[in-house]
Amino acid sequence: PVALLVRDLRAAAEIECADLESMFGVTPGEHQVIIQLVKGYSSREIADQFGKSILTVRTHVKRAYGKIGVKTRGQLFAKLLPYLSIR
């Protein structure tokens, strides 16, 4: 079996992830931040987007990384890749 995916690369990709809350025990806020990191946003951009302080975002990142068992964004992406749905 072969599949062919055709997508307009100018359109924004929609990235969804399996339920990180039940899989890794992250909070809804941590889940929200992690999805934005996977989309390539910086902590500052995430803070601005959701009206949170940069310290709150960094705390979410630190706690979520610990729960997921990663230390870098690269490790995060690699660990979550099997659970991502990109449209």
Side-chain angles (χ1 to χ4, degrees), residues 4 6 13-14 17 21 25-27 32-33 54 56 63 65 70 72 74 76 81 86:
L4 174 64
V6 179
E14 288 294 322
C17 190
E21 295 167 37
V26 300
T27 66
Q32 183 180 55
V33 167
I54 187 72
T56 299
R63 290 182 179 164
Y65 277 16
V70 298
T72 67
L76 175 71
L81 190 58
I86 303 171

Side-chain angles (χ1 to χ4, degrees), residues 17-60:
C17 190
D19 188 5
L20 298 178
E21 295 167 37
S22 64
M23 290 171 47
F24 297 105
V26 300
T27 66
E30 292 165 351
H31 187 167
Q32 183 180 55
V33 167
I34 291 302
I35 294 302
Q36 298 309 310
L37 288 176
V38 169
K39 289 181 178 182
Y41 290 101
S42 70
S43 294
R44 168 59 61 200
E45 291 170 322
I46 296 167
D48 292 344
Q49 182 179 4
F50 293 106
K52 298 181 179 185
S53 77
I54 187 72
L55 294 177
T56 299
V57 171
R58 288 179 180 160
T59 298
H60 283 328

